[in-house]
Amino acid sequence: MSAASPESEGLPRIHRLANGVRVVCDPMPGLQTLALSVVVGRGARSETEAQNGWAHLLEHMVFKGAGQRSARSIVEEIEAEGGQINAATGHERTSFQVRALKGGLPLAMDVISDLVHRPVIDAGDLEREKQVVSQEIAEAADTPDDHVFELAQAQAFSGHALGRPILGLDATVGAASRDALAAFHAGLYGPDAIVVSAAGAVEEAELLDLVDRHFAADARAEPPAASGPARFVGGAAPVTRALEQSHLVLLLPAPGLTDPDYFALRLFAEILGGGMSSRLFQAVREERGLAYAIDAYADTHSDTGVLGIYVGAAAKDAAEAAKICAAEIGGLIGRVEPAELARAKAQLKAATFMARESALARAEQAAGQVLTFGRLFSVEETAQAIDAVEAADLARLGERLLGPRACAGAVLGPRPAMKAARAFEVELFG
């Protein structure tokens, strides 16, 4: 096992096994708990259209039995020692996590390595789990303020894996056979895409020994075919539904995680709609009373991203609220007040520092940085990058956001709200 030198004083070292598995250990003195995250740098974006939802289905299936453990014993063994186990599937990552008491690392590693390497994938269990996932798909469709985000994402990246729902569709999930899912597993969870990251009450020597025992023998596997670069397409998805309130998601194409304008994007979103003092909250809710819920956010992937706005409003007010959102974007591009830029920087740095107080957040963050950048960043380095953003950077970013003259909008609710996405587009681009 080799070790990469830390980029700056005090950062954990990144170790690499011969098969490509990378390891990060981040001890936190004084803690009596630890977090172990085994993160695979592949997810729903690694699916073909016919495999839509398989990465999420596979995450479900590994918990049905792995190694010599049954579904029940997987969770019982962890919980009997005071621990918690969880997993999550995204477009570009699949993460397996255990939080445990000090001394719980060997069991956590043993269980997670079974999940990653030795899932049983029984045909009978698969058919039952397909029904569970189908219910999850239905539940998401029945939840308007969840479903509207899927509708907007589908418009933004139509024809690409990023535009398909992580949960998949009933038809594609239903088509997964035991053998096909097992073959998909072999490529998706290949060692070249795995980062083992631990934080809290952990010691590097113990972690490295456990990783060597549980991950070093993994053979390299053929990865799934890459989905290719994502392209923001845009368009409107108005869906009429008998609801008490309308739900809007409005998207603009934005930089990705590795783009130099990443922190400018985060600050732009914070000023626009990041909290109760943000422009959107004040202009749409406080001054006009047009919406109960409104916020802006930056959603980023390795090569692309979106600036998003969510609005929950009465149907009769949806179009007006969307127009004001567009106007506030234009106003923010035109001028940023020094006080609001300083406030946004303080909020973003506070979120960064607060995350450092959670062992799980630190483990996940380290894994994400290694997968995306191949290195770790200190909080001081991150704070400096945030502080370096100036008003001129936000203006330049704003021009980038509007440059393609494309937006995506989804509206879910009563018929009077259906013009909201178009109103947003017209206000932005004429």
Side-chain angles (χ1 to χ4, degrees):
M1 182 183 291
S2 62
S5 298
E7 294 293 329
S8 60
E9 191 68 28
L11 284 177
R13 290 180 294 176
I14 303 171
H15 302 265
R16 182 187 294 268
L17 276 62
N19 61 3
V21 172
R22 286 162 289 182
V23 189
V24 180
C25 185
D26 186 8
M28 300 169 66
L31 261 65
Q32 295 301 310
T33 62
L34 63 91
L36 173 66
S37 291
V38 176
V39 183
V40 185
R42 299 187 183 114
R45 190 168 177 173
S46 297
E47 302 165 346
T48 65
E49 187 172 2
Q51 295 169 331
N52 183 210
W54 286 23
H56 174 255
L57 176 63
L58 179 60
E59 177 222 307
H60 275 236
M61 283 304 302
V62 303
F63 281 90
K64 303 305 291 181
Q68 300 302 311
R69 293 181 168 92
S70 66
R72 182 167 182 166
S73 64
I74 288 170
V75 295
E76 279 190 343
E77 288 186 36
I78 293 293
E79 292 179 357
E81 298 298 323
Q84 300 170 354
I85 188 167
N86 204 354
T89 302
H91 276 108
E92 296 185 322
R93 292 181 203 160
T94 306
S95 176
F96 298 92
Q97 312 149 355
V98 170
R99 298 179 64 192
L101 295 173
K102 184 177 182 178
L105 187 61
L107 176 62
M109 186 73 72
D110 193 45
V111 172
I112 289 187
S113 66
D114 269 353
L115 298 180
V116 172
H117 300 137
R118 291 171 287 279
V120 174
I121 312 185
D122 175 78
D125 285 339
L126 177 58
E127 292 308 310
R128 285 187 289 274
E129 205 60 27
K130 286 179 184 179
Q131 297 179 39
V132 173
V133 172
S134 179
Q135 294 172 47
E136 193 175 355
I137 293 169
E139 182 182 23
D142 283 344
T143 309
D145 50 354
D146 282 348
H147 189 46
V148 70
F149 283 90
E150 284 192 357
L151 293 171
Q153 184 83 1
Q155 288 298 130
F157 297 106
S158 177
H160 190 273
L162 284 181
R164 297 194 286 266
I166 292 172
L167 296 180
L169 306 173
D170 282 335
T172 53
V173 171
S177 68
R178 187 268 168 208
D179 290 344
L181 195 63
F184 181 71
H185 160 262
L188 196 72
Y189 294 175
D192 59 301
I194 290 177
V195 175
V196 180
S197 179
V202 292
E203 295 181 358
E204 185 173 83
E206 181 186 29
L207 177 65
L208 295 179
D209 179 64
L210 289 168
V211 173
D212 194 55
R213 276 192 270 155
H214 289 281
F215 286 86
D218 296 1
R220 290 182 179 270
E222 185 68 27
S227 60
R231 184 175 69 88
F232 189 99
V233 177
V239 178
T240 303
R241 186 179 291 183
L243 300 171
E244 292 298 319
Q245 190 180 44
S246 63
H247 301 268
L248 289 66
V249 172
L250 308 165
L251 304 178
L252 289 172
L257 282 166
T258 60
D259 193 283
D261 276 336
Y262 170 75
F263 285 111
L265 173 64
R266 293 287 303 276
L267 292 168
F268 193 101
E270 184 68 33
I271 295 169
L272 181 65
M276 294 175 67
S277 62
S278 68
R279 292 192 178 196
L280 290 182
F281 193 93
Q282 291 297 315
V284 177
R285 174 171 163 158
E286 294 298 283
E287 295 175 13
R288 297 174 177 85
L290 295 177
Y292 173 72
I294 184 164
D295 63 72
Y297 60 93
D299 187 17
T300 50
H301 305 283
S302 57
D303 59 343
T304 190
V306 295
L307 173 72
I309 296 171
Y310 167 76
V311 184
K316 64 181 179 62
D317 297 326
E320 183 63 21
K323 288 174 61 177
I324 295 169
C325 289
E328 289 298 328
I329 290 172
L332 179 50
I333 294 172
R335 177 170 175 77
V336 178
E337 298 295 336
E340 62 183 348
L341 178 55
R343 184 168 58 247
K345 288 180 177 181
Q347 287 292 318
L348 194 50
K349 287 188 290 185
T352 300
F353 292 134
M354 289 175 186
R356 298 295 294 170
E357 297 176 4
S358 162
L360 181 58
R362 281 169 77 138
E364 288 276 306
Q365 184 183 75
Q369 290 178 356
V370 171
L371 286 167
T372 303
F373 301 98
R375 56 161 293 196
L376 298 173
F377 296 85
S378 68
V379 289
E380 294 79 15
E381 189 175 2
T382 300
Q384 288 171 6
I386 294 169
D387 283 333
V389 178
E390 300 178 349
D393 298 315
L394 298 188
R396 176 174 44 78
L397 170 70
E399 296 300 330
R400 285 187 66 182
L401 297 173
L402 301 186
R405 296 184 66 81
C407 61
V411 187
L412 187 61
R415 186 169 299 279
M418 294 301 108
K419 297 179 181 180
R422 177 60 178 162
F424 178 74
E425 182 180 18
V426 170
E427 184 70 22
L428 277 179
F429 305 123

